[in-house]
Amino acid sequence: MRIVPLSLACLSVLLSACSPPSPPPAAQAEAGAAATEEQDAAAADAGFEFPAIPQIMVPSIVGSGPAQRQLESSMQALIDPLAGISVRPANCSTDGALVNESGFTNVDAAGNLQRVAGEGVFDVAADGSGLAVTGEDVVRVNPDGSGSIVNSAGTFEVKADGSGTYVGEFGHIALDGKGGGTWVGDFGNIENHGDGSGLWVGEEGSIEVRADGSGRWIGGPEGIAENRGDGTGTVGAVAREVRMAPLPPLPPAGRFPLLDRFRPSGAPCGFVVTLSDKVLFDFDKAQVRADAGEVLDGLSGALAKVPARAIEVRGHTDAKGSDAYNQDLSERRAQAVVAALRQRGVAQDASARGYGETQPVAPNEVDGRDNPGGRQLNRRVEIFVRT
């Protein structure tokens, strides 16, 4: 969104009338035509606008659906995030690919959602309003689209009628939602009254445009220029008459856009069961441990109760070792889990795919030092159930 300010084109209009006309009519007409072309070009080149207000972004989040809640209920005895067994909602991009996300999500019976994940902390009501704290962003959205955002671009306060304020690197902008507004920045002060009139006080002096097409410029090359709005005006400390076209009205200032409600990124497409490698495998091995049978029995029973369009078992590793070795290990582990599920009568059409170390959910290193906790989170098998 761009907000149209008092334009420097009004300077060109006033300046163009400052020279007395030439006596010979033909020369006057020729010079007038040339001057008009020069004025038009100058007006176009001198156009001055409010800078673009930084785009207001609301972080996207994910909520769980009925199928996931059914599976979670069936797996209640197994789910233990500390042990590395969890279920999260899945979202897919427009091409159907799973959006790689992690974290813990809770949705109550009324549809209110709480989520804690790498991208931040969210507390969102069923109507899409709520609060999000993500890195350098603090976003609050109200049911009517009003709210506030604080981030590196500045501080925004937005009202439901399009009014609001912005304070940041571009200065201070206030809009009344009705076409009026002010902008204070390094260039000076701009006022737009919303009725075609306005004022700019800055390095060019003081320029006033009135709603009837008249105006005044103080501090320009001629000292004072007065436009009566009827095609005439005066310039100079000792006023001399010149012809002046009426000043064009200022376009209304814009409005702040309403904030988007919190909503999923992409489209809900199922859920993901995550199993830490320590639940299923010995270190650096791809054979499912015998004592993992209880977990796989419970998981198989839960999956049998949930209708699924497709199941993909996805192997992941940390960044220790070569890319080729990690890719091979992740593929063999995914295939081993598919085989174990099929032995239990489920996931007969499931596919297996290894991603090696390419999709971490936590940093393998922090400040150049090994991060064992992060590497443990990255060593995992995910079962993506597309619903």
Side-chain angles (χ1 to χ4, degrees):
M1 179 181 69
R2 298 191 69 85
I3 305 172
V4 181
L6 179 60
S7 173
L8 280 178
C10 65
L11 294 179
S12 300
V13 174
L14 289 168
L15 283 170
S16 67
C18 294
S19 300
S22 304
Q28 179 181 350
E30 181 178 350
T36 299
E37 293 179 359
E38 292 176 2
Q39 293 159 13
D40 290 344
D45 292 341
F48 185 83
E49 297 182 340
F50 277 23
I53 294 178
Q55 185 178 3
I56 298 175
M57 301 294 294
V58 176
S60 61
I61 58 173
V62 188
S64 60
Q68 178 189 328
R69 289 194 289 270
Q70 179 182 346
L71 180 125
E72 287 176 331
S73 177
S74 300
M75 290 181 57
Q76 197 60 52
L78 293 178
I79 295 176
D80 183 357
L82 293 179
I85 304 174
S86 63
V87 181
R88 66 176 173 87
N91 265 7
C92 291
S93 58
T94 54
D95 62 2
L98 176 66
V99 177
N100 188 32
E101 294 171 328
S102 62
F104 304 101
T105 302
N106 179 66
V107 182
D108 64 21
N112 302 307
L113 180 147
Q114 292 181 321
R115 178 166 170 79
V116 180
E119 65 267 28
V121 178
F122 303 85
D123 190 353
V124 181
D127 61 5
S129 63
L131 174 68
V133 181
T134 62
E136 62 182 16
D137 298 286
V138 178
V139 182
R140 182 178 297 280
V141 180
N142 300 319
D144 60 4
S146 63
S148 62
I149 295 180
V150 180
N151 59 27
S152 60
T155 300
F156 302 84
E157 291 284 345
V158 180
K159 303 292 181 63
D161 61 0
S163 64
T165 59
Y166 158 77
V167 180
E169 61 178 311
F170 296 117
H172 183 284
I173 297 173
L175 303 176
D176 64 11
K178 301 176 182 178
T182 61
W183 186 25
V184 180
D186 295 338
F187 52 84
N189 298 355
I190 290 177
E191 296 179 12
N192 188 326
H193 302 146
D195 60 358
S197 66
L199 176 69
W200 177 37
V201 179
E203 60 184 11
E204 300 292 344
S206 173
I207 302 172
E208 179 185 8
V209 176
R210 305 185 188 103
D212 61 2
S214 64
R216 175 178 295 176
W217 181 17
I218 300 175
E222 295 288 344
I224 299 176
E226 185 77 38
N227 188 320
R228 299 190 183 99
D230 59 1
T232 66
T234 62
V235 296
V238 178
R240 66 180 185 275
E241 293 287 330
V242 294
R243 291 182 296 174
M244 287 188 186
L247 298 175
L250 297 183
R255 297 159 54 96
F256 283 104
L258 296 181
L259 302 183
D260 291 332
R261 296 185 182 186
F262 294 102
R263 61 184 185 274
S265 56
C269 56
F271 49 86
V272 177
V273 179
T274 300
L275 304 168
S276 170
D277 74 328
K278 65 183 180 181
V279 176
L280 301 174
F281 305 102
D282 289 325
F283 179 73
D284 206 28
K285 302 296 183 181
Q287 292 77 34
V288 176
R289 290 205 318 261
D291 60 4
E294 183 178 350
V295 171
L296 291 171
D297 289 343
L299 176 60
S300 298
L303 289 174
K305 299 177 182 179
V306 178
R309 291 179 54 196
I311 295 177
E312 180 182 83
V313 178
R314 304 154 61 92
H316 302 271
T317 70
D318 62 17
K320 288 284 188 179
S322 68
D323 292 351
Y325 181 84
N326 287 331
Q327 180 63 36
D328 178 69
L329 178 62
S330 67
E331 290 174 0
R332 289 187 288 121
R333 284 184 166 181
Q335 292 164 358
V337 173
V338 168
L341 293 175
R342 287 176 179 170
Q343 289 175 358
R344 289 163 172 79
V346 297
Q348 297 301 320
D349 297 326
S351 61
R353 184 173 178 182
Y355 291 86
E357 60 187 75
T358 63
Q359 294 189 358
V361 293
N364 290 290
E365 294 184 351
V366 176
D367 295 330
R369 296 183 177 181
D370 185 40
N371 180 24
R375 287 194 294 104
Q376 177 62 65
L377 292 174
N378 293 330
R379 297 194 302 268
R380 68 199 190 278
V381 171
E382 296 175 335
I383 301 173
F384 172 31
V385 181
R386 190 185 296 272
T387 58

